[in-house]
Amino acid sequence: MSKLTIVAFDGTRHDLDVQDGTTVMENAVRKAIPGIEAECGGACACATCHVYVDDAWTAAVGAPEAMEEDMLDFAFDVRPTSRLSCQIKMSPALDGLVVHVPERQA
Ligand code: FES
């Protein structure tokens, strides 16, 4: 079990207790957090689960792999901290992770 905080675009913080091995997207969808659409269900094929990793967590989360980077080209307002949340798997190393939901998805 790890802590995950998803900050909605309106600033609302959603503090979740999540199972390690689940993705950030799965937890956002399960809790119906606004702004995460996840149309492809986690297949890295839609870019509608885009989030910004909090600055304090970018090193721990790491960089996207090539396929994810290609999909990010379709996301709205991509920044250096952008990731697809279906590609971020929770683990003890990410206990306390904070991500921010963008203004809108692609
Ligand atoms: S859910 Fe489609 S790319 Fe993440």
Side-chain angles (χ1 to χ4, degrees):
M1 202 70 118
S2 295
K3 300 272 186 204
L4 167 65
T5 297
I6 303 176
V7 184
F9 184 69
D10 70 0
T12 308
R13 292 174 67 92
H14 300 270
D15 296 315
L16 314 178
D17 291 315
V18 304
Q19 295 289 341
D20 292 324
T22 61
T23 67
V24 171
M25 177 280 276
E26 288 167 340
N27 290 290
V29 168
R30 194 172 296 138
K31 294 288 180 183
I33 292 171
I36 303 290
E37 295 168 12
E39 282 169 9
C40 78
C44 196
C46 73
T48 62
C49 64
H50 175 208
V51 295
Y52 303 118
V53 175
D54 193 87
D55 288 341
W57 285 94
T58 51
V61 171
E65 293 192 4
M67 184 175 156
E68 181 185 345
E69 207 160 333
D70 287 348
M71 278 316 300
L72 273 168
D73 288 343
F74 297 96
F76 170 76
D77 192 16
V78 175
R79 302 175 190 172
T81 57
S82 289
R83 289 292 310 266
L84 295 179
S85 59
C86 68
Q87 302 301 304
I88 305 175
K89 204 168 264 193
M90 294 303 298
S91 67
L94 296 184
D95 186 12
L97 175 65
V98 180
V99 300
H100 302 262
V101 177
E103 182 178 1
R104 63 180 171 85
Q105 296 293 339

